[in-house]
Amino acid sequence: MGKSSKDKRDIYYRLAKEEGWRARSAFKLLQIDETFNILKDVRKAVDLCAAPGSWSQVLAKKLDSSNATETKIVAVDLQAMAPLPGVIQIQGDITKKSTAEAIISHFEGEQADLVVCDGAPDVTGLHDIDEFIQSQLLLAALNITTHILKRGGKFVAKIFRGREVSLLYSQLRIFFNRVTIVKPRSSRNSSIEAFALCEGYDPPEGYTPNMMNPLLENSSVDWSQLEGEVNRFVTPFLACGDLSAFDSDRCYPLSFQGQYERREPVQPPIRPPYADAMNLVTKMGDFHIERHD
Ligand code: SAM
């Protein structure tokens, strides 16, 4: 870890290891659900940009499984993901037509209740470029969503709150009755990341999803006619997750006021790089290390 980079192994990282989530991101979806009930009555969901799979784990655990034959979760990522029971996995780039078509093919004759996208590019540190690439991921996710989401359905997507983000808010508002920007407690304040929570899928009259057109150039809709609220909309920004939830920007000791006691990880590291060093120390018998911090 470089001198200037922040230790990412915060309290949520530890909790994820202890509770068996594949990534600390699980808590972001859990906290959004805690406040906005987004998983209620959801049976079919798509998890875009899903690796290593903690959001898919949350979906697999929390979706309405009262009728198991109706439950469907499709997870997609550029990276390979370890299998998860009950989750159909696709490896591919969501900005590519072939991947989008593979996802859509799983929904022939049926529709999804929810699409989530936690997609993030490998950040370059050049903010304008990072924000632009992230917004392209979001638009690719939205385009796929317009093919499979049922009317009234929900879409939750990571968004970077950069300078030009209000254009994205307006684009989302064209397709959804309500757009709220939410920031879970487990998402660091220091990060420009937030999540667009889009509810009530309601595409403009005449809109036909089409893979060959960039999203907002669909010929059947005259976008210039979309006046009024879509253009003047002020998007609410809400924090979510209980205020007493752990603060992701704070350091907690291994035991904290009865609220946190360190536990062993559900699955210890298989072959961590530090194991060799530890073996070496054991082999050296009574080798003695003094620390003067
Ligand atoms: N939600 C995931 C979880 O809970 O485990 C974490 C997602 S991680 C923050 C972002 C993911 O976006 C990475 O796994 C990355 O491979 C994926 N990604 C970035 N660009 C993508 C693209 N064009 N198509 C598919 N996945 C992409």
Side-chain angles (χ1 to χ4, degrees):
M1 191 174 47
K3 262 191 174 170
S4 58
S5 61
K6 194 172 154 75
D7 188 350
K8 295 197 168 67
R9 292 160 298 176
D10 68 347
I11 186 101
Y12 287 103
Y13 173 94
R14 274 148 50 184
L15 286 171
K17 296 279 176 224
E18 291 167 9
E19 294 177 17
W21 302 111
R22 290 183 180 182
R24 65 187 290 292
S25 325
F27 295 102
K28 300 176 189 170
L29 190 59
L30 287 167
Q31 289 172 346
I32 296 173
D33 180 48
E34 200 178 292
T35 310
F36 299 98
N37 253 326
I38 55 164
L39 302 181
K40 187 167 181 282
D41 298 331
V42 170
R43 290 215 166 91
K44 296 185 194 330
V46 178
D47 183 5
L48 298 172
C49 304
S54 77
W55 281 27
S56 291
Q57 285 181 295
V58 172
L59 294 173
K61 188 169 176 196
K62 299 204 103 189
L63 288 204
D64 180 352
S65 55
S66 48
N67 185 348
T69 55
E70 280 191 16
T71 308
K72 179 177 273 183
I73 302 167
V74 177
V76 190
D77 202 283
L78 278 174
Q79 323 264 358
M81 254 168 73
L84 266 174
V87 178
I88 301 166
Q89 294 185 11
I90 298 173
Q91 188 174 358
D93 180 343
I94 65 159
T95 63
K96 280 199 171 156
K97 188 166 169 265
S98 53
T99 313
E101 284 169 349
I103 301 166
I104 295 162
S105 71
H106 282 282
F107 283 88
E108 254 158 47
E110 48 187 3
Q111 289 181 307
D113 306 298
L114 172 73
V115 178
V116 294
C117 175
D118 190 23
D122 286 338
V123 280
T124 62
L126 299 169
H127 297 316
D128 288 348
I129 292 179
D130 293 337
E131 282 157 32
F132 174 75
I133 299 174
Q134 213 283 326
S135 69
Q136 294 309 297
L137 265 187
L138 187 142
L139 288 178
L142 178 59
N143 199 6
I144 294 168
T145 301
T146 62
H147 286 78
I148 53 178
L149 191 63
K150 72 170 190 194
R151 269 187 184 268
K154 292 170 201 154
F155 173 58
V156 177
K158 192 198 302 272
I159 202 161
F160 283 176
R161 288 168 302 142
R163 263 186 310 171
E164 311 295 343
V165 75
S166 50
L167 172 64
L168 267 184
Y169 297 164
S170 298
Q171 286 168 314
L172 291 168
R173 267 287 290 144
I174 289 171
F175 290 91
F176 292 89
N177 290 331
R178 193 161 58 232
V179 176
T180 313
I181 304 304
V182 301
K183 179 85 175 168
R185 289 277 282 173
S186 48
S187 172
R188 296 187 182 92
N189 278 333
S190 48
S191 155
I192 58 166
E193 158 193 280
F195 294 86
L197 165 59
C198 309
E199 296 168 284
Y201 178 56
D202 183 19
E205 208 172 309
Y207 178 79
T208 326
N210 183 342
M211 272 300 154
M212 294 312 288
N213 273 337
L215 190 65
L216 294 179
E217 287 180 9
N218 192 294
S219 53
S220 50
V221 178
D222 181 0
W223 301 106
S224 64
Q225 295 303 306
L226 292 170
E227 291 173 346
E229 210 199 335
V230 167
N231 296 328
R232 282 186 274 113
F233 183 67
V234 176
T235 314
F237 180 79
L238 299 176
C240 65
D242 194 324
L243 276 186
S244 60
F246 292 111
D247 178 349
S248 48
D249 285 296
R250 188 175 159 184
C251 290
Y252 290 89
L254 297 180
S255 168
F256 178 70
Q257 296 178 357
Q259 293 172 29
Y260 174 71
E261 292 299 330
R262 184 191 174 278
R263 285 169 291 155
E264 284 302 315
V266 169
Q267 183 178 352
I270 296 166
R271 197 179 177 286
Y274 57 77
D276 292 344
M278 302 223 341
N279 286 338
L280 204 61
V281 172
T282 319
K283 275 190 209 135
M284 291 169 107
D286 56 1
F287 183 75
H288 181 73
I289 302 174
E290 270 183 29
R291 290 188 58 171
H292 300 275
D293 292 329

